[in-house]
Amino acid sequence: MEKKPRFVRRELPPREVSAVSLALLFGAVLLLNALLYLYLNQLYISLGHAEKDPSLCPFGYFKLGGMKNCSPWLSCEAINREVRKLKRVGEGAVKKVFLSEWKENKVVLSQLTNSELKEDFLHGLKMLKALQSKHVVRLLGYCEQEFTILTEYHPLGSLRGLNGTLHIPRYKGMNTWHRRLMLAIDYVGIIRYLHSSPLGTLVMCDSNDLDKVLSQYLLTSDFHILVNDLDALPLVNRSAGRLVKCGHRELRGEFVAPEQRWPYGEEVPFEDDLMPPYDEKTDIWKIPDVTNFFLGHVEGSDIVRLHLFDIHAACKRKDPSERPSAQEVQDTYRKVLALLIREAAMPGTREML
């Protein structure tokens, strides 16, 4: 009787199994990394972080709401004829602000408050025209003769109301560490833009305390930040030896940079003529404090602060020349965002490897 062949099951040696598993795991990690980087890149583009904003029009034109085509900035005549004031929503030292309506669109009409500050008002208008970009509130029209500016309306208002907005049920889903960090990235991106603007290096001078800083920026409905108030943007020109001073009064407190404080002690009375000028690195000094506000106290925000410790320590160096540029700060913020999202998506991967 012929014996049937016996089939013996051959098992792979333990080391071989381990090597195959490790290779598969490593390949999966690489693939997940690639997918995460693609996701982050798409996230920036889809949420408005692309370098070019498709909603922007050529200089002197704007597009609002559902408009398909760009329209020229509204003239004095068009503003007076077509814009209707609804109610006053704010007033500062330079201008009063009205919620208004233009062709069934909510808009913002700003008018000069104090005639003695008309130069500040006109400087703000000049900056608004020259700096139109994804970082700056959209200009819709103006009338220099009547000291009037018309801009796009953003119902969420200034950044002073951020925490209140994030507690509204509709927006609670936005109250996460990564969304808050993305707001900080937006903010630093605006500072970077001002420091390398088409006009040169501009300093954000209306920033003597946190509340004042937050009042200069708007929160959009899709949770991005726009700079809104450009009345105090002096120009630094190192090649011409031109530095700046933010106003003519003494600045105090830890929020302003050391070089912005009176350097001669209490025994010497403040004199504007004796106050040394400074450069754009005053804006860098303030970034950690503003970012700390953005991060708030949500789950994960302390981990973000830990990852930002070194760059924020560099921002607080007493010597302005040793502080990083806004570009370097923004690059670090983006790397930290990518790192933390990757770690959140792959918990324990490092231990497995």
Side-chain angles (χ1 to χ4, degrees):
M1 186 174 174
E2 189 179 347
K3 291 184 178 180
K4 293 182 180 179
R6 294 177 63 187
F7 294 94
V8 179
R9 184 179 178 185
R10 184 186 174 195
E11 295 188 3
L12 293 171
R15 283 188 181 179
E16 194 173 342
V17 172
S18 177
V20 170
S21 299
L22 189 59
L24 289 172
L25 178 60
F26 187 68
V29 169
L30 289 176
L31 178 61
L32 189 52
N33 266 307
L35 291 173
L36 278 169
Y37 279 116
L38 287 172
Y39 162 76
L40 286 169
N41 185 57
Q42 187 60 34
L43 185 68
Y44 278 112
I45 294 172
S46 64
L47 293 179
H49 285 274
E51 285 304 314
K52 293 184 179 179
D53 186 344
S55 66
L56 288 178
C57 295
F59 182 80
Y61 290 77
F62 72 93
K63 189 161 56 175
L64 188 65
M67 292 171 57
K68 293 183 179 180
N69 300 315
C70 295
S71 294
W73 287 336
L74 300 184
S75 63
C76 297
E77 182 184 357
I79 291 174
N80 290 329
R81 184 180 67 250
E82 301 172 10
V83 176
R84 180 170 64 96
K85 290 181 184 176
L86 299 178
K87 63 177 180 179
R88 184 185 296 192
V89 292
E91 182 169 351
V94 178
K95 50 187 179 285
K96 49 192 173 185
V97 181
F98 297 89
L99 174 63
S100 305
E101 191 175 54
W102 174 74
K103 294 187 177 180
E104 300 183 352
N105 292 290
K106 293 285 194 329
V107 293
V108 174
L109 188 72
S110 302
Q111 293 182 318
L112 180 65
T113 300
N114 185 346
S115 59
E116 294 180 2
L117 297 175
K118 62 183 180 182
E119 287 187 12
D120 293 50
F121 184 91
L122 293 175
H123 176 75
L125 173 59
K126 176 185 175 182
M127 294 293 104
L128 194 55
K129 289 193 290 185
L131 299 176
Q132 282 295 288
S133 67
K134 66 173 185 175
H135 302 291
V136 178
V137 70
R138 191 167 298 159
L139 178 64
L140 309 180
Y142 63 92
C143 180
E144 284 194 36
Q145 298 94 309
E146 298 176 12
F147 298 99
T148 299
I149 300 172
L150 193 70
T151 54
E152 187 175 14
Y153 171 64
H154 293 279
L156 296 183
S158 81
L159 287 177
R160 285 189 294 191
L162 174 64
N163 288 323
T165 297
L166 288 171
H167 283 92
I168 297 172
R170 179 180 176 184
Y171 297 110
K172 277 189 175 180
M174 299 286 195
N175 197 15
T176 61
W177 68 261
H178 58 273
R179 179 62 67 167
R180 284 175 170 269
L181 179 54
M182 288 176 71
L183 289 176
I185 291 172
D186 265 8
Y187 166 72
V188 177
I190 292 172
I191 299 300
R192 177 196 59 76
Y193 175 68
L194 294 178
H195 288 182
S196 57
S197 82
L199 301 176
T201 302
L202 299 168
V203 181
M204 193 66 176
C205 265
D206 260 345
S207 57
N208 298 335
D209 57 65
L210 179 61
D211 192 65
K212 186 64 174 175
V213 170
L214 298 176
S215 71
Q216 309 302 304
Y217 298 87
L218 295 172
L219 181 64
T220 67
S221 297
D222 60 349
F223 268 69
H224 287 294
I225 297 175
L226 298 172
V227 62
N228 181 53
D229 196 330
L230 303 172
D231 295 342
L233 275 184
L235 179 68
V236 169
N237 188 338
R238 283 191 184 81
S239 61
R242 184 194 305 163
L243 300 177
V244 304
K245 288 191 283 187
C246 291
H248 304 287
R249 294 181 295 178
E250 183 178 0
L251 301 179
R252 297 176 178 267
E254 292 299 313
F255 188 82
V256 296
E259 64 270 23
Q260 291 185 279
R261 301 172 212 154
W262 180 242
Y264 303 117
E266 295 288 340
E267 62 277 5
V268 180
F270 177 82
E271 286 188 43
D272 184 42
D273 290 341
L274 297 179
M275 180 67 199
Y278 34 83
D279 63 17
E280 76 280 3
K281 290 300 183 74
T282 57
D283 290 333
I284 305 299
W285 171 273
K286 298 161 189 173
I287 286 175
D289 299 288
V290 180
T291 293
N292 188 52
F293 167 80
F294 283 132
L295 293 177
H297 301 285
V298 298
E299 183 180 355
S301 62
D302 286 341
I303 298 297
V304 178
R305 287 185 179 92
L306 186 63
H307 280 79
L308 297 179
F309 181 85
D310 288 342
I311 191 67
H312 283 174
C315 291
K316 291 293 187 180
R317 287 174 182 149
K318 189 170 182 180
D319 184 345
S321 66
E322 295 180 358
R323 295 173 204 154
S325 66
Q327 181 69 68
E328 290 171 319
V329 177
Q330 188 181 38
D331 289 344
T332 301
Y333 278 22
R334 285 176 168 167
K335 288 175 183 176
V336 167
L337 175 63
L339 172 67
L340 292 178
I341 288 180
R342 188 165 69 248
E343 288 186 352
M346 298 187 301
T349 300
R350 188 175 301 167
E351 288 75 8
M352 286 189 292
L353 290 174

